[in-house]
Amino acid sequence: MKILLRCCLLCLCLPLLAHAAELRIDLGHGARVWTTAQLLARTDATTVTIPDDVAFRRSMRYRAVPLRALLPGLRTDQHLQFVATDGFAAEIPATVILNRQGAEAWLAVEDSTHPWPASADNGKHAGPFYLVWTDPQAAHVTTEEWPYQLATIRAIPDVDARFPTIVPEARADAQVLRGYAVFKRTCFACHTMNGAGDARLGPDLNLPWNPTEYLRADLLRGFIRNPQTLHRWPEAKMQGFPTTKEMSDADLDAVLAYLRYMAKHKAKVPITP
């Protein structure tokens, strides 16, 4: 009887816990914490339809708030980091959010009375906060710029300033420099490089070994496109970039060039067991 009572109490508390979820936004002039209830009650909250949603891989409808409205005073020279509860850390320049090409960023907010289904990403729960886009192709928004399970949005120095050990020399080959730019938009959201980075979802890609040092180029290329081609692992976190829309062949070539470059530029960071 006691066990049944506890289960009933837990079920009653779940909607309250969902409404208690908080999103912290800090642009450097004082942090603001928003709850789901506060966001859903905003006058600019509306219903948006996302025809090709990244997390669910189908059309989705959300109650959402225009992201710009939550970032007052955001400047084009600023850089934003979107941190998720699972360790994902998306790096997005303010210019992408403030673009004039027609793409618009929305903060989707999960209503506990209408919970979202399990995502296509190994059945993960995407809520309670998720950055979604309308007309994303207009501003070349990548799939890694759709972070879900959001906990924090903050303005910080850009990646080059924070982590100089991952930046190629200015005289490096143009393909390496392009690969670095692609790496920052895609791989760096999950992985560290040379021990540097804020993401905690995937392993370091240079220490102690760079993947170009232990995988043939064709296997590594296939792994980036679809990790299951290398290891049959249904619970794997990495979903890959299966189409050229998500990562073009030229961008993939450039990423591999950057990885090969970094294999020769390892940071001297002690490796702890």
Side-chain angles (χ1 to χ4, degrees):
M1 185 67 181
K2 288 183 179 180
I3 295 176
L4 179 61
L5 179 60
R6 288 175 182 171
C7 291
C8 291
L9 289 173
L10 178 61
C11 291
L12 289 173
C13 288
L14 286 176
L16 297 176
L17 290 173
H19 273 292
E22 295 179 341
L23 176 70
R24 181 183 176 87
I25 299 178
D26 188 353
L27 297 185
H29 44 72
R32 172 70 192 267
V33 176
W34 291 93
T35 66
T36 51
Q38 289 172 330
L39 290 165
L40 291 169
R42 285 177 58 102
T43 57
D44 55 358
T46 188
T47 299
V48 297
T49 299
I50 308 298
D52 189 14
D53 186 88
V54 168
F56 295 94
R57 299 176 195 166
R58 61 181 176 86
S59 180
M60 290 289 293
R61 286 164 58 88
Y62 300 103
R63 290 298 291 175
V65 176
L67 184 61
R68 291 187 192 184
L70 300 175
L71 306 173
L74 181 66
R75 306 187 311 270
T76 55
D77 63 340
Q78 289 183 292
H79 182 86
L80 297 176
Q81 186 182 64
F82 295 74
V83 183
T85 56
D86 65 356
F88 186 91
E91 304 276 348
I92 306 180
T95 50
V96 177
I97 305 295
L98 299 173
N99 79 90
R100 296 181 180 276
Q101 285 75 41
E104 184 165 5
W106 298 83
L107 181 71
V109 183
E110 185 178 28
D111 185 342
S112 64
T113 62
H114 298 89
W116 299 339
S119 75
D121 185 4
N122 287 340
K124 288 183 179 179
H125 177 228
F129 308 111
Y130 174 23
L131 177 62
V132 302
W133 296 81
T134 49
D135 199 18
Q137 65 279 1
H140 307 289
V141 176
T142 70
T143 57
E144 301 303 291
E145 293 170 327
W146 294 65
Y148 53 75
Q149 295 183 355
L150 274 177
T152 303
I153 301 173
R154 58 183 180 175
I156 56 177
D158 67 16
V159 171
D160 294 23
R162 283 164 30 229
F163 307 115
T165 62
I166 76 170
V167 183
E169 298 176 346
R171 62 183 181 181
D173 183 84
Q175 191 177 39
V176 170
L177 297 176
R178 174 178 177 172
Y180 172 57
V182 177
F183 176 88
K184 287 190 292 183
R185 294 198 315 269
T186 55
C187 316
F188 204 52
C190 295
H191 298 274
T192 55
M193 169 65 72
N194 265 347
D198 294 319
R200 295 293 178 266
L201 201 57
D204 192 273
L205 293 181
N206 211 35
L207 300 176
W209 296 101
N210 185 297
T212 61
E213 296 176 292
Y214 57 82
L215 282 178
R216 294 196 324 246
D218 60 327
L219 292 178
L220 180 54
R221 183 182 299 275
F223 178 76
I224 293 172
R225 286 293 186 207
N226 178 8
Q228 298 296 322
T229 61
L230 186 64
H231 300 295
R232 185 65 63 189
W233 186 18
E235 300 304 316
K237 295 179 180 180
M238 182 172 172
Q239 298 302 302
F241 301 88
T243 69
T244 54
K245 178 182 177 182
E246 295 167 310
M247 181 183 288
S248 70
D249 288 336
D251 280 348
L252 179 52
D253 289 340
V255 168
L256 296 181
Y258 170 68
L259 289 174
R260 288 191 293 269
Y261 173 91
M262 291 306 297
K264 301 175 182 177
H265 295 80
K266 293 181 186 289
K268 292 180 173 59
V269 178
I271 305 299
T272 56

